Structures are given as C-alpha cells and as structure tokens.
Amino acid sequence: MTDEFDVPTEPRAAVDALATHLTATADRPVPPATNRWLGEAEAVARDATSDDLDTQTRRKRVRQVATLLESADETDDAVADRHIEAAIECCRVVLATE
C-alpha cells in the first residue's frame, strides 16, 4: 500500500520521511485517541530529525516511534493508514542498519 509514497532506502533520509509521513496524518480525520498516539509519534520523529543527534540517539527515537505506532488504534482513514504504513517502513529502514 505504500506504493504511492517514496520510502527512502538510506537511513538518514528515512528519518526525514518518517517525520513527514507522521506530520501528514495530523491533517487527517482520525479518532482522538488514535490522534494522540500519532501526535506523540510525530513529535518524537521530528526530534529524530535534529542534526545534533548522534546515530545511537536517533535510532532510539525511531524505536520509540515504532512502538508508538504499534500502540495506535485504527484510523478509519485510508490516507492516514497509507502514511502510517510508509512511516513503519521508514522505521524498518532505519532500524535494519545496525
């Protein structure tokens, strides 16, 4: 389902894309409880894009985002779901590079 979204294969670009995808969910009509999880994930993802973070801290932030996304309930919005799926793929790209 992430076909229409570009998921970078380079970890640093994937972190930026992760934040972008989660920011895009903020404009979608998702239930308030789900929106809280997504909002927290977005904040952590934006923090992960900071240039002054070392790789280990950036990866820790991405792991936090992945955990938050796993905790989020259904969105009932197809566009938000595609952004979340792309965000999860971005997390996988970052976390696959050990």
Side-chain angles (χ1 to χ4, degrees):
M1 221 187 214
T2 59
D3 297 347
E4 53 192 90
F5 294 120
D6 181 33
V7 176
T9 58
E10 191 277 315
R12 186 61 177 96
V15 171
D16 293 335
L18 170 63
T20 299
H21 285 296
L22 292 175
T23 298
T25 65
D27 296 330
R28 303 304 307 164
V30 299
T34 302
N35 195 41
R36 283 190 290 275
W37 287 106
L38 295 177
E40 188 171 345
E42 176 190 350
V44 176
R46 280 186 286 141
D47 182 55
T49 66
S50 298
D51 289 333
D52 61 343
L53 290 181
D54 59 72
T55 302
Q56 182 179 355
T57 303
R58 183 171 286 113
R59 289 174 50 78
K60 180 179 177 185
R61 298 287 189 275
V62 171
R63 275 192 299 277
Q64 290 172 319
V65 170
T67 299
L68 290 165
L69 292 176
E70 288 174 7
S71 300
D73 292 328
E74 297 296 318
T75 67
D76 298 324
D77 182 78
V79 174
D81 288 343
R82 288 192 300 273
H83 279 292
I84 292 167
E85 288 175 13
I88 290 168
E89 288 300 316
C90 289
C91 288
R92 287 183 182 136
V93 168
V94 174
L95 298 175
T97 55
E98 296 273 350

